[in-house]
Amino acid sequence: MTATPAIEGWFTTGAAPALVGTRCATCTTVFFPKADGFCRNPACDGETFEEVELSRRGRIWSYTDAQYQPPPPYIPAADPYEPFALAAVELPEGLVVLGQVAKGYGVDDLKVGDEAELVVETLYTDETGERSIWRWKPVTEMGQEADQ
Amino acid sequence: MSTSKDVAVAGVGMHPWGKWGKSFVTYGVHAARAALTDAGIPWQDVDLIVGGETVRNGYGGYVAGATFAQALGWNGARVATSYAACATGAQALDTARARILAGMCEVALVVGADTTPKGFLAPNAGERWDDPDWLRFRLLGMTNPAYFALYARRRMDLYGATQADFAQVKVKNAKHGLHNPNARYRKEVSVDDVLGSAVVSDPLHLLDICATSDGAAAVVLTSVDYARRHGLTDPVKVKAISTVTPTFPNTVMDMPNLSTDSSAVAGVPERTFKESIGHAAYEEAGIGPEDVDVAEVYDLSTALELDWIEDLALCKRGEAEALLRAGDTTIGGRIPVNPSGGLACFGEAVPAQALAQVCELTWQLRGQAEGRQVEGARVGITANQGLFGHGSSVLLAI
């Protein structure tokens, strides 16, 4: 069964998933989540945007984890609660995007400045089935895992 | 330095922070009456009341100014109500100051009070798919402490800060607040206590993160002329109130956002948002960071206090740990930070907190901060930041 994105239109779900943002047709500034209506660059009066897929890789700006279950509207994926890591990743488009960290990775696998890649995984399951979300997965160089 | 933009702090008052189980109105009126008594000004002479509102208290909270006015007894004063997240109190103060400086009122009472829930601050109920404050919980499970932890981790990976440094901030503030009658937590804490408490969001422990509290603070502002006419000699004066918004692109991850603006086209601005908050206060006052004797900053987490010390240009970027370790930010040191005990000893009562900072600095500059006095303090600065591009800094001098 294929998971449905937990939020519509924010990311693609193919073999090489990517965040979907918008680019101002006037000043080319990229926004994620999507901006529409009016460009938020104060020097630009643009009102038309095109959708763009953002780079799938970036550098970790910072990271942490959630050792306690966050309050609603967070929907826990498991009972009992399983802590997860979070990362803010700086993309070549010049913006930083938050995300949970891919399953199986924790803060010990992360470092400011290291590379991370976007993946799509299941966030939670409700009566409509599995709901998916973008996550950041640390990029390990060939052989690095064996070294550890 | 122009004196024409000064207003006088005629009186300050607080309701002690804690978990008292009462209505925020009770706390607010207590603080208001204390401030009026401190000022020696009868409530009937107040011609403007400004309330700091909160979004969790229902109807009464949404119209805080009028709620407090009614509770104090309608006196016909003009009314305003402010909401600016953690900067609420400062924005309310700025409203009062502006009317005084415009000659539209002479005596203003500014009140902020809150009754807070237990545990994580969470958004109101209901589905709001266009609200980042709701989405950050639903899509990411991103709590407030998780944002604080991102900033803390950067200090570790970029400047070599340690969890013991963060713990030391708590140790210092706990000691500062020991004799503060308005503080909720008045108990010494050791580095081991902090490091032994549960990790909430790595690298931050439970004791690195401030609690949420009930509390209230009030400030009576008057024109300098009114203060003189009423025999208030040498009052503490408000030199600047900064409530600037960020400058695009806002490149530092801000609560409750899921992303930052892109700097690819517009370029990285000269100052980060938090740097610009303090900078605007210094510019407005014509006073520089080198003149500051004491600071009250928003230690939502211990590590954030270190960020603020640098954002306020009290030292260079990456040097706050060195200041802390040398004892410079302790009372008796070069630039004491959070002599009140800070949020570490108070816990956050959102609409009251920025006013509480002003209360503390007023007592400090008057030499009335018993048991925690920064000797000879003449200039003090506050700083805080809240959700959605709100932040403030108030500069006070005597």
Side-chain angles (χ1 to χ4, degrees):
Chain A
M1 190 176 68
T2 320
T4 316
I7 186 160
E8 177 74 31
W10 282 34
F11 57 94
T12 63
T13 56
L19 296 169
V20 180
T22 51
R23 180 166 51 210
C24 173
T26 310
C27 75
T28 74
T29 298
V30 167
F31 297 92
F32 176 86
K34 291 175 205 171
D36 56 13
F38 309 95
C39 183
R40 289 185 213 138
N41 176 355
C44 177
D45 59 4
E47 295 187 5
T48 49
F49 297 85
E50 53 199 359
E51 287 200 355
V52 281
E53 289 192 7
L54 305 189
S55 301
R56 300 190 53 239
R57 282 191 178 195
R59 298 275 169 191
I60 295 172
W61 183 82
S62 195
Y63 56 92
T64 181
D65 58 15
Q67 304 242 355
Y68 287 85
Q69 182 173 311
Y74 176 77
I75 299 172
D79 184 19
Y81 170 72
E82 287 172 14
F84 56 90
L86 291 145
V89 173
E90 188 162 15
L91 300 177
E93 287 83 354
L95 76 169
V96 178
V97 180
L98 279 175
Q100 292 185 352
V101 171
K103 204 171 167 61
Y105 295 90
V107 290
D108 291 342
D109 304 307
L110 308 167
K111 206 162 164 291
V112 171
D114 276 3
E115 202 170 21
E117 182 178 69
L118 189 118
V119 295
V120 169
E121 295 183 345
T122 299
L123 177 63
Y124 59 88
T125 306
D126 62 15
E127 63 284 355
T128 64
E130 288 182 24
R131 307 299 296 246
S132 62
I133 196 71
W134 79 89
R135 282 184 174 152
W136 297 114
K137 182 180 171 179
V139 175
T140 46
E141 299 301 332
M142 199 77 104
Q144 195 177 322
E145 275 170 303
D147 290 344
Q148 287 172 351
Chain B
M1 198 189 309
S2 159
T3 53
S4 65
K5 282 189 177 173
D6 291 350
V7 294
V9 179
V12 292
M14 289 170 73
H15 182 287
W17 263 229
K19 284 282 183 190
W20 309 106
K22 296 181 194 160
S23 158
F24 74 100
V25 184
T26 305
Y27 309 139
V29 170
H30 177 101
R33 288 187 164 175
L36 289 165
T37 302
D38 183 44
I41 294 175
W43 161 234
Q44 284 83 350
D45 286 7
V46 171
D47 52 11
L48 171 69
I49 180 159
V50 190
E53 69 155 325
T54 175
V55 294
R56 286 184 309 278
N57 282 330
Y59 179 74
Y62 286 118
V63 290
T67 300
F68 295 133
Q70 185 184 29
L72 286 159
W74 296 121
N75 74 345
R78 308 260 175 143
V79 65
T81 295
S82 283
Y83 180 68
C86 299
T88 294
Q91 194 187 69
L93 206 65
D94 199 27
T95 300
R97 180 182 72 144
R99 286 190 73 92
I100 290 169
L101 291 178
M104 298 169 79
C105 85
E106 283 204 301
V107 184
L109 171 65
V110 185
V111 190
D114 204 4
T115 303
T116 44
K118 195 174 164 11
F120 287 118
L121 289 179
N124 291 334
E127 295 212 348
R128 291 189 307 283
W129 290 92
D130 56 355
D131 175 5
D133 198 28
W134 187 87
L135 285 169
R136 61 157 166 148
F137 284 94
R138 171 57 68 92
L139 299 181
L140 304 177
M142 191 76 197
T143 59
N144 294 8
Y147 285 90
F148 309 153
L150 293 179
Y151 311 137
R153 172 54 66 180
R154 275 181 73 79
R155 294 204 69 84
M156 294 176 75
D157 282 17
L158 297 181
Y159 311 133
T162 66
Q163 286 173 305
D165 287 326
F166 303 154
Q168 187 57 41
V169 174
K170 175 76 172 187
V171 172
K172 168 186 75 75
N173 287 345
K175 198 166 260 174
H176 283 177
L178 270 184
H179 304 294
N180 188 339
N182 290 309
R184 175 179 175 188
Y185 303 103
R186 277 173 276 170
K187 190 169 163 268
E188 290 218 43
V189 173
S190 71
V191 168
D192 286 345
D193 290 337
V194 180
L195 298 180
S197 65
V199 173
V200 175
S201 278
D202 180 277
L204 297 178
H205 295 83
L206 189 62
L207 291 183
D208 284 304
I209 297 161
C210 86
T212 58
S213 294
D214 299 356
V219 176
V220 179
L221 288 188
T222 71
S223 65
V224 170
D225 190 42
Y226 179 98
R228 198 180 303 119
R229 287 201 317 272
H230 287 75
L232 228 93
T233 48
D234 204 15
V236 170
K237 294 192 182 91
V238 176
K239 291 289 183 181
I241 303 175
S242 160
T243 56
V244 293
T245 49
T247 299
F248 184 88
N250 190 6
T251 54
V252 178
M253 184 61 70
D254 248 1
M255 208 161 70
N257 297 334
L258 284 77
S259 63
T260 66
D261 295 327
S262 166
S263 60
V265 173
V268 177
E270 190 183 349
R271 291 178 193 88
T272 66
F273 176 39
K274 285 170 71 194
E275 287 168 350
S276 71
I277 291 169
H279 179 78
Y282 290 129
E283 288 276 292
E284 188 173 291
I287 290 174
E290 66 283 356
D291 302 318
V292 172
D293 300 312
V294 55
E296 280 282 315
V297 306
Y298 230 54
D299 56 322
L300 291 165
S301 86
T302 49
L304 265 166
E305 176 174 306
L306 300 168
D307 285 346
W308 273 120
I309 289 167
E310 295 166 8
D311 293 327
L312 289 178
L314 300 174
C315 71
K316 292 200 183 83
R317 185 64 62 193
E319 292 183 356
E321 281 80 6
L323 240 65
L324 172 77
R325 291 170 197 154
D328 287 347
T329 56
T330 306
I331 294 171
R334 182 174 74 74
I335 170 70
V337 177
N338 285 329
S340 70
L343 294 171
C345 291
F346 277 76
E348 192 187 19
V350 178
Q353 211 69 46
L355 292 172
Q357 293 180 320
V358 171
C359 291
E360 174 65 14
L361 288 188
T362 299
W363 286 317
Q364 289 289 347
L365 300 187
R366 287 175 178 172
Q368 296 175 338
E370 208 176 313
R372 58 182 195 286
Q373 181 64 44
V374 176
E375 290 307 324
R378 311 276 305 170
V379 176
I381 192 167
T382 76
N384 74 52
Q385 186 195 4
L387 300 177
F388 298 113
H390 288 112
S392 68
S393 177
V394 180
L395 232 157
L396 298 155
I398 195 161

